Amino acid sequence: MDQRPMKTTLLITDVDFWERGAGHRMRILHLLQYLVQHVHVTIAYVGALTGRPEELLRHQLAGNYVFLSLSPSADAAKTGKDLRRLLGKRHFDSIIVEYIHNTLFLKYLDITNSTLLLDAHDIISDRTVEFEKFNYGNTQFAMSPELEFQVFDIYDHVLVLCLPDYEKVNRKMGDPKAMLCPHPVAVRSHAPREKVRNLTFVASEYPPNVDAMHFFIRECWPALHSAYDIELWIYGNVCKMLQPSLGAGVVLKGYAADLATVYSQADIVINPVRFGAGLKIKNIEALANGMPLVTTGHGARGLEPAKGTALLVAEGPAGFIESLARLVDNAELRISLGRNAITYVKEHFSAEACFGPLLEIIA
């Protein structure tokens, strides 16, 4: 029997852990749920506890973890010194930093002989360029490619969520700097209905989601609603950013605590996102629920093997109208896409597939 002590890992995160979009929050939670089964985890949380993550984590994590909370401060140096004081002389075998902007806290820690891992989520410089293309510059934290890759060089590995980002980082910095660690999802199959009664969109108030709905409602929805007896159901905090009256057949459902119920009532899921970065977690969740999904080429980034078999890709108004008309008219196609989506997710987005390579590094 292996009698070696369990490895120790420090995970540093901030207010984004609980208050950012649900996709990012669940990604970090799933990472923690996986790690605490195998290593001792200390979670250093920087931010106001408005969402009470400590209390919620206690119910969702079973394993070896300690939760440290640091009050937010305008002075990053003070926060860093508080972190150093709380940790004392503790040394960690590995340190995972959530989001590149938290890299500054490393200088307050003993990182000697620690494996340093950045959970980047997105490549920020790519996101910066994408936002500027659609006139959303200066709405998000921005970085130049030069600075971002200089920061990447501090770490032993950079965790990314999709294959294009993985290939880009390794092409620029050399294999194996990047590690592919996407978002695991639980499979829940829902029986499809013979007749389509709704198209469903689930999203946060993140600017690309708001833009996606404005585009779809303006350019695609009138033709679809006039041709078919269907409604457009919109869930999530994106509803806060949309006008209450968006035309006939558009229903703002608002925040939904139980996504399983949302998907059990959905017939076709859409994600007409036109810009952004990284893996679109809402698309993975739709596939995991066996939903026929229509998204853009940008939305299918990282899901290339699923194109045409587990999801449909459409570009522009004509592409969306044509693809959705095919699905509304063809129950067999909807069933086939949903079945293939479940198979695809089981193969590529289990917890072991997403986090197994990371565990090999830190354990």
Side-chain angles (χ1 to χ4, degrees):
M1 180 180 291
D2 190 346
Q3 297 297 319
R4 291 174 298 179
M6 292 181 75
K7 295 290 186 176
T8 56
T9 294
L10 172 67
L11 184 140
I12 302 174
T13 186
D14 58 15
V15 69
D16 281 342
F17 170 50
W18 213 252
E19 295 181 352
R20 197 169 176 174
H24 284 264
R25 180 170 68 245
M26 294 306 297
R27 164 61 168 55
I28 298 173
L29 178 59
H30 286 151
L31 173 60
L32 287 168
Q33 288 173 332
Y34 184 81
L35 289 180
V36 297
Q37 301 175 58
H38 305 282
V39 298
H40 287 284
V41 179
T42 298
I43 305 163
Y45 179 87
V46 182
L49 293 178
T50 54
R52 303 195 64 78
E54 181 177 13
E55 180 180 316
L56 290 165
L57 277 174
R58 191 176 296 118
H59 291 90
Q60 298 187 60
L61 295 184
N64 308 281
Y65 79 97
V66 175
F67 187 93
L68 305 175
S69 175
L70 291 84
S71 298
S73 171
D75 185 351
K78 180 182 182 303
T79 305
K81 291 173 183 176
D82 288 344
L83 176 60
R84 181 164 57 196
R85 176 180 53 79
L86 278 172
L87 294 175
K89 296 184 180 297
R90 293 183 62 188
H91 177 269
F92 297 91
D93 297 305
S94 59
I95 299 173
I96 302 174
V97 175
E98 293 292 338
Y99 307 113
I100 196 168
H101 60 264
N102 285 322
T103 299
L104 62 93
F105 292 118
L106 288 178
K107 70 178 182 179
Y108 298 97
L109 305 174
D110 173 14
I111 61 174
T112 308
N113 298 321
S114 296
T115 300
L116 302 182
L117 302 133
L118 172 64
D119 196 3
H121 294 263
D122 300 333
I123 296 180
I124 302 301
S125 54
D126 284 356
R127 186 183 73 185
T128 300
V129 171
E130 286 284 313
F131 271 56
E132 288 175 350
K133 282 182 187 176
F134 284 82
N135 299 315
Y136 282 88
N138 301 318
T139 64
Q140 301 285 311
F141 174 67
M143 291 188 83
S144 68
E146 294 76 19
L147 177 57
E148 185 164 27
F149 281 91
Q150 284 177 20
V151 177
F152 284 176
D153 201 39
I154 295 170
Y155 292 89
D156 295 295
H157 297 285
V158 176
L159 314 185
V160 294
L161 275 64
C162 65
L163 186 60
D165 288 353
Y166 169 86
E167 292 175 339
K168 178 171 184 172
V169 173
N170 282 340
R171 186 167 58 247
K172 197 168 184 72
M173 307 197 71
D175 185 31
K177 172 66 76 171
M179 294 186 67
L180 185 59
C181 296
H183 176 73
V185 283
V187 169
R188 300 183 185 89
S189 183
H190 302 284
R193 282 175 287 275
E194 185 173 340
K195 184 178 185 301
V196 172
R197 54 180 191 177
N198 69 75
L199 310 181
T200 294
F201 180 67
V202 185
S204 70
E205 65 269 39
Y206 188 48
N209 298 331
V210 180
D211 172 84
M213 272 300 90
H214 283 151
F215 156 75
F216 186 82
I217 292 170
R218 181 181 66 248
E219 305 290 342
C220 309
W221 179 242
L224 288 163
H225 185 59
S226 64
Y228 298 101
D229 181 22
I230 57 175
E231 292 183 325
L232 173 60
W233 293 358
I234 306 174
Y235 290 90
N237 287 335
V238 68
C239 295
K240 298 177 182 178
M241 308 301 291
L242 302 173
Q243 295 295 326
S245 178
L246 294 168
V250 180
V251 182
L252 300 182
K253 297 279 192 175
Y255 175 76
D258 183 12
L259 283 179
T261 300
V262 170
Y263 288 120
S264 70
Q265 297 172 350
D267 293 312
I268 299 170
V269 172
I270 62 169
N271 185 10
V273 61
R274 301 193 293 173
F275 67 100
L279 181 72
K280 303 302 179 280
I281 291 175
K282 66 174 65 63
N283 284 351
I284 305 299
E285 291 172 341
L287 296 177
N289 281 272
M291 290 286 105
L293 169 68
V294 182
T295 189
T296 58
H298 176 78
R301 200 168 173 271
L303 305 175
E304 285 79 8
K307 291 181 179 179
T309 57
L311 60 86
L312 297 183
V313 172
E315 299 295 355
F320 265 91
I321 293 168
E322 189 273 334
S323 294
L324 288 167
R326 283 177 60 204
L327 284 175
V328 173
D329 289 333
N330 192 332
E332 289 185 7
L333 178 58
R334 298 198 303 274
I335 293 169
S336 174
L337 285 175
R339 185 185 303 118
N340 292 340
I342 293 288
T343 300
Y344 176 74
V345 166
K346 285 181 177 178
E347 182 177 350
H348 296 280
F349 294 97
S350 67
E352 193 61 40
C354 293
F355 300 138
L358 171 62
L359 184 62
E360 290 183 19
I361 294 294
I362 66 176

